[in-house]
Amino acid sequence: QQQVKQSPQSLIVQKGGISIINCAYENTAFDYFPWYQQFPGKGPALLIAIRPDVSEKKEGRFTISFNKSAKQFSLHIMDSQPGDSATYFCAARGTDKLIFGTGTRLQVFP
Amino acid sequence: NAGVMQNPRHLVRRRGQEARLRCSPMKGHSHVYWYRQLPEEGLKFMVYLQKENIIDESGMPKERFSAEFPKEGPSILRIQQVVRGDSAAYFCASSSRANTEAFFGQGTRLTVV
């Protein structure tokens, strides 16, 4: 019940395309859903986050869609750029800690 | 305002030695979280600490691993008698309060030879 399932494991997108990463959870007590971006050799950096009372949040080219009834949320990267190539982690916060998905390695080719 | 500082960035230990990983949270942050990341895997929660208190250690192995966050100084993750399987990247994150944004450090990459 504490798991967050993330897919796909890897994603290859052409420059200018849309990257979509999906996550699902089971614990209805989760109250905060952030996405982190991690470059090789670096720590995860907070990208965008959403709370369950909102169905969508957009910041620049990044959008989170949240479906509370299905217990799913997704990250959409519009107009994907080579600089977006990184590993993306979804997460969900329980009572006191973040539970992370297994990550999606995104490669954007020019 | 410096971010979360972890040191060392890289640490090599022989099997059986002790590893000490340090984490200085962001200024004004009193909540610290430790995560472990194995190659090509996600981040696994280890322990959550506030100043002088362990709040949640449900992800810590029962033996050889310990963590502290003293009143003064950085948080320390200590691994005694390291084994090859302890080789991983260890990340620390901090937040100003419980249930607020957590910011990660650059990690310590531990290699056990």
Side-chain angles (χ1 to χ4, degrees), chain A residues 36 38 93 96-98 105, chain B residues 35 37 40 56 99 102:
Chain A
Y36 283 81
Q38 185 179 30
R93 187 175 61 200
D96 58 8
K97 59 185 177 283
L98 289 170
R105 177 178 284 182
Chain B
Y35 286 82
Q37 185 176 37
E40 308 299 320
D56 182 344
N99 299 329

Side-chain angles (χ1 to χ4, degrees), chain A residues 9 31-32 36 38 40-46 51 89 93-103 105, chain B residues 9 33 35 37 40-45 48 55-56 58 91 98-107 109:
Chain A
Q9 190 173 6
D31 65 353
Y32 173 69
Y36 283 81
Q38 185 179 30
K42 303 292 185 183
L46 179 64
R51 296 188 185 275
F89 293 96
R93 187 175 61 200
T95 52
D96 58 8
K97 59 185 177 283
L98 289 170
I99 307 297
F100 283 85
T102 50
R105 177 178 284 182
Chain B
R9 291 291 310 277
Y33 312 80
Y35 286 82
Q37 185 176 37
E40 308 299 320
E41 292 190 13
L43 295 125
K44 302 294 186 185
F45 169 78
Y48 163 39
I55 307 302
D56 182 344
S58 58
F91 289 97
N99 299 329
T100 57
E101 282 184 8
F103 297 88
F104 281 81
Q106 299 279 42
R109 280 149 187 84

Side-chain angles (χ1 to χ4, degrees), chain A residues 41-78:
Chain A
K42 303 292 185 183
L46 179 64
L47 191 62
I48 186 173
I50 198 168
R51 296 188 185 275
D53 54 347
V54 177
S55 61
E56 185 176 283
K57 183 174 182 180
K58 183 176 181 179
E59 289 183 2
R61 295 184 295 109
F62 300 91
T63 300
I64 300 179
S65 297
F66 189 85
N67 186 330
K68 188 174 181 178
S69 60
K71 291 186 279 188
Q72 295 175 347
F73 58 111
S74 60
L75 175 69
H76 296 233
I77 306 174
M78 311 300 288

